[in-house]
Amino acid sequence: MWTQNIDPVSNLGLSALVAAIPVLVFLLCLVVFKLKGILAAAIAVVAEVAVAALVFGMPATAIGGSALIGLLTSIWPIAYIIVMAVWLYRLAVASGRFDIIRASISGISTDQRIQVLLISFAFGAFLEGAAGFGVPIAICAALLVQLGFRPVKAAMLSLVANVAAGAYGAIGIPVIVGAQVAGVDVSELSQTMVLLLQPLTFLVPFLLVVILDGWRGLRETWPATLLVSVVFSGVQASVLWFLGPELADLGSGLAAMVALFVFGRVWQPKRIFREGGVEAPPVERHSFREVAVAWSPFYILTAFILVWSVPWFKQLFAAEGPLAAAVIKVPIPGLTGEVATAGGDAVATTWDFTPLNATGTAILLAVIVSFLTTPRLKAADFWGQLGSTLRDLSQALLLIAAILVLANIANYSGGSASIGSALAAVGPLFPLFAPIIGWIGVFLTGSVVNNNTLFGPLQVATAQRIGVQSDLLIAANTAGGTTAKVISPQSIAIAAGAVGLSGRESEILRASIGYSLGMLAFICVWSFALSNLFLG
């Protein structure tokens, strides 16, 4: 059995720097050399293989196994979820229902500053709470383009907006996993998340308006922006504090949408903003029934996702559940039983194939029900939209696969642990850097859940060593991670595919990276302040 060595050059800082080379190569290829995402990822994967083999001493079989589990994970569950969600959206467009959806949004306001608050922020949070895994980014970015937003701006706004919800979707799983890893009570971690992340969450709607139309835009729309911030943040904080993380996004997203709808009846900005000064299209009026039917695919989607997320349904597929046989655990050659952590523990390395209880299956059922309840759609539309979805997302899915191959090689080689351990060596200053570890974890894996699984134990061990509460550092790991979703290659690929910019991921990354780093810096400083003033 091969054992990871997180300090192969006998200098932890230098080992961490070498481990970070593939990530730096990827960023340079995208930001500086402006290469296509898939080419940048391919170069970074080659660099990762070289670092893992030549520096960390990882056997070729283990490298191959790591690449295989990354590839399999990119297909199931990630690609499965993304394709099903975009397929559902495209069927809504093909049915003509989206024209009514667009009209219903314009009926609230034709001002794009209000629309981004309604779609990317409020509706996106609702979708994050229901499904997660990039579904809100894909659907909201596509919706904004249909409403007249420029593709790069639509993608970037949807990525930034997701920061307010990404820590709690879907159904609170990132916080629940973080609590399990840390050995703390879920309610304690939820309350700490309120203290740490809620100030940034409150500011996100203001940031979205400023991004779209500068300070003038904020002056003109501050009543609606303040309303959304107060309602969303207030509901989310209350749910987290008193109930836990499961409904934090669903409740806040729904409350913010209702608040905007009601407020839009009595207030509109004096100047209607549209990108490029384009005149707003005339607002079509539809009956309440027509609007309700048009939005029905998303109600159906939410219903299935909620069923798939409730404990009794999950228990059906647990180890002792009646449907446990439906969870197929596939051992990975070169990894399963053949790789151990630096502490000597064998790493858990099986790929779970879950055809019945996968989130993608819930979305597939929503697709089927939506199709069957839409007489206008024919079988040719049903299969044709699936084919066009696969074609249009092919580059994005290949990029996600390459990134997950890179991430898994980095994780199983010990490279990710090396980076985290080096940052943990700063001692009392560690709360300042703890969110950066979470940022790195989500940048590599694309998932706040995987980030907490990967770096949660490191955060807990460091908290015990420096005398800081474990729940604060797990919260910092989670909060830092959610700011990385803005530029995670997986998120960028999903956004690019949704707005028709596959191959131009570097444009979205350059537009988004400053906001991601700025929000990360805010969380770092606030985490350090809390560790010293309140929770030390």
Side-chain angles (χ1 to χ4, degrees), residues 452-478:
N452 278 347
T453 303
L454 177 64
F455 286 130
L458 174 71
Q459 299 278 9
V460 172
T462 307
Q464 294 170 347
R465 191 159 61 241
I466 65 175
V468 173
Q469 291 185 4
S470 299
D471 54 326
L472 173 62
L473 294 193
I474 289 292
N477 197 66
T478 306

Side-chain angles (χ1 to χ4, degrees), residues 410-435:
N411 293 344
Y412 290 116
S413 69
S416 297
S418 178
I419 297 171
S421 298
L423 289 171
V426 299
L429 286 175
F430 181 72
L432 181 66
F433 297 98

Side-chain angles (χ1 to χ4, degrees), residues 213-225:
D213 191 32
W215 294 106
R216 177 189 179 185
L218 187 57
R219 288 195 302 272
E220 294 175 348
T221 62
W222 71 264
T225 308

Side-chain angles (χ1 to χ4, degrees), residues 12 33 55 66 114 125 131 165 192 209 257 272 377 403 434-435 456 494 511:
L12 188 56
F33 299 113
V55 180
S66 301
I114 307 300
T192 305
V209 172
M257 284 190 285
I272 299 300
L377 290 175
I403 291 302
I494 293 169

Side-chain angles (χ1 to χ4, degrees), residues 5 88 122 152 169 188 217 258 292 335 381-382 466 507 526:
N5 179 7
L88 177 69
V152 171
E188 292 181 11
V258 172
L335 285 184
D381 300 313
F382 185 77
I466 65 175
E507 295 179 37
W526 186 230

Side-chain angles (χ1 to χ4, degrees), residues 497-518:
V499 300
L501 293 180
S502 292
R504 296 169 60 185
E505 293 82 7
S506 61
E507 295 179 37
I508 301 174
L509 177 62
R510 290 198 303 274
S512 307
I513 191 169
Y515 301 110
S516 175
L517 294 176

